[in-house]
Amino acid sequence: MVEIFKNDTEATATDLGTLAFASNLPTDVIAKTNIWTFDHVFSLIDPPISDDIYDYYSFDPFQLASVTVSFHARSTGDYANYVTVVPVQGVSKIEGYASGVWTGGEHVNSPYEAFAETLITDSLTAWKNSVASEIDTSGVTWQRDGFPDTEAIWHLTGEEVVLAVTGFEFDGTTDQISANGGNPERVDYRLAIDPHVGDIPDVTLPVDTPDADNSPYEVYRFFNTLTGSHFFTTSQTERDSIITNTPTMTYEGNVFDSNATAANGGSAVYRFYNTATGTHFYTANAEEAANISANLPHFNDEGIVYYAHSSGDSGGTALYRFYNTSNDSHFFTTSMTERDNIISTLGHYNYEGVAYYVDLA
């Protein structure tokens, strides 16, 4: 639980860092920030108890094009509670809810509740007018008693995102304040920011053409911009899903093939997911694969992904393997030029020789 009271201006926004998931979550879900926090109650009596009702947060969106922002509040006693989450920087368009009101007890259908609803309408209108030149708010609305979550999609500009959260309780009297020793209660709210994963209208999937030599395996490569490592798959379904739903994975095409199969004596290539780093490891060495499975519990065995040649006698091309000491991942290439350049210029890459043999695409 994070409790923050010093981030009440845009200049003192709490930095959430780069929006990224812990590395041990599934590869098709790539970013998340989840915050439990408390904001001061602001009583709408005259004069107000406090004008410190805003919490500001900021985060680096990395390469995300959009995020889903969801939040909810718990009712504090019998009062009408109000929470608003709006961006002030780094967002070009919002679709969905920006505010919510939650009520309980004697104040359901009361004048206090009606006042809170009016307050939301007026404050949203004022906010829309203030950001009209920067943010498309035509799809913004507010929600009444929207448990468990009130949600919106924010389309990002690529710059740092700054957002403001305000939450307060309205009961129209000082009774609650007096009963609590002169101190206002706090509105309990939960704010979650996730990648918006769904249909991306401008995605262009590869056009698959017949393979000239009818290779049983075409190997597709992605560069994972979050981990600085590469991911390989022979599945067109997996490839297309990643292209569509995971913007931090850059598609680099069909980098090589393999004509090897179990029937013609090929060696199985095993894929492991390293939950500690969020990277993948590949080996055609059955003994190495067995050792990883037996001794490295943070490596999830994802099975055989294709078959490769164990030697170059079949006319295959060497696939060279490097260990990247800076991020605990491995790099693979069929290019001798790239191999030699890495050996001579990148001291944090340890050359581990030929991993196995493949066929050029």
Side-chain angles (χ1 to χ4, degrees):
M1 183 178 293
V2 181
E3 195 169 16
I4 302 166
F5 304 117
K6 301 300 183 183
N7 56 345
D8 55 347
T9 68
E10 186 174 343
T12 59
T14 299
D15 183 14
L16 302 176
T18 299
L19 194 61
F21 271 122
S23 59
N24 62 345
L25 293 179
T27 56
D28 61 340
V29 184
I30 44 84
K32 186 181 181 72
T33 294
N34 226 344
I35 309 147
W36 272 101
T37 189
F38 294 95
D39 202 354
H40 283 301
V41 160
F42 176 70
S43 181
L44 297 179
I45 62 173
D46 186 19
I49 296 296
S50 168
D51 59 3
D52 178 17
I53 63 169
Y54 295 98
D55 279 351
Y56 286 87
Y57 300 96
S58 63
F59 65 85
D60 177 2
F62 199 58
Q63 295 189 356
L64 292 178
S66 56
V67 293
T68 298
V69 176
S70 58
F71 56 95
H72 77 260
R74 296 180 185 177
S75 292
T76 303
D78 289 337
Y79 309 106
N81 300 290
Y82 164 76
V83 175
T84 292
V85 180
V86 295
V88 295
Q89 176 183 297
V91 174
S92 61
K93 181 180 180 179
I94 301 176
E95 300 172 276
Y97 300 105
S99 291
V101 60
W102 292 266
T103 53
E106 65 187 61
H107 291 305
V108 174
N109 300 319
S110 73
Y112 304 143
E113 182 177 78
F115 184 89
E117 294 180 1
T118 300
L119 181 66
I120 283 181
T121 302
D122 291 346
S123 63
L124 274 184
T125 299
W127 170 74
K128 286 181 179 180
N129 291 337
S130 70
V131 298
S133 63
E134 302 171 5
I135 303 175
D136 180 354
T137 61
S138 58
V140 173
T141 186
W142 66 275
Q143 182 159 315
R144 163 72 179 278
D145 294 333
F147 291 106
D149 287 308
T150 299
E151 187 172 280
I153 298 169
W154 292 6
H155 298 270
L156 310 181
T157 64
E159 64 179 327
E160 181 184 53
V161 177
V162 179
L163 59 110
V165 180
T166 183
F168 56 86
E169 167 274 320
F170 171 72
D171 72 343
T173 73
T174 60
D175 292 346
Q176 181 195 22
I177 306 301
S178 299
N180 197 41
N183 298 310
E185 294 289 347
R186 299 165 180 168
V187 173
D188 181 0
Y189 68 87
R190 177 179 183 266
L191 169 65
I193 306 171
D194 303 270
H196 172 53
V197 178
D199 292 334
I200 302 175
D202 59 352
V203 163
T204 301
L205 296 176
V207 176
D208 293 304
T209 57
D211 187 61
D213 58 357
N214 294 314
S215 296
Y217 300 104
E218 294 180 291
V219 182
Y220 310 106
R221 187 170 83 174
F222 290 84
F223 178 66
N224 186 331
T225 56
L226 288 178
T227 64
S229 64
H230 286 91
F231 172 76
F232 297 85
T233 182
T234 59
S235 166
Q236 292 180 359
T237 300
E238 185 174 42
R239 176 200 66 186
D240 292 350
S241 177
I242 292 172
I243 291 172
T244 301
N245 299 313
T246 313
T248 54
M249 298 281 275
T250 302
Y251 180 56
E252 297 184 337
N254 174 200
V255 290
F256 56 82
D257 292 346
S258 181
N259 295 324
T261 64
N264 64 23
S267 299
V269 176
Y270 303 91
R271 188 172 85 184
F272 291 88
Y273 176 60
N274 185 338
T275 60
T277 63
T279 63
H280 284 81
F281 174 70
Y282 307 81
T283 181
N285 185 319
E287 184 178 344
E288 183 176 40
N291 182 62
I292 291 172
S293 294
N295 299 304
L296 299 178
H298 61 288
F299 276 73
N300 290 344
D301 185 353
E302 297 187 339
I304 297 171
V305 287
Y306 58 94
Y307 286 81
H309 308 290
S310 57
S311 73
D313 296 342
S314 62
T317 298
L319 183 70
Y320 306 105
R321 188 173 100 177
F322 290 84
Y323 173 61
N324 184 340
T325 60
S326 68
N327 65 3
D328 193 22
S329 71
H330 284 79
F331 173 74
F332 301 84
T333 181
T334 59
S335 168
M336 288 189 291
T337 300
E338 187 172 36
R339 176 201 65 185
D340 294 343
N341 182 62
I342 291 173
I343 291 172
S344 63
T345 62
L346 299 179
H348 60 288
Y349 277 72
N350 293 342
Y351 180 53
E352 297 185 338
V354 176
Y356 43 86
Y357 293 81
V358 297
D359 299 282
L360 296 180

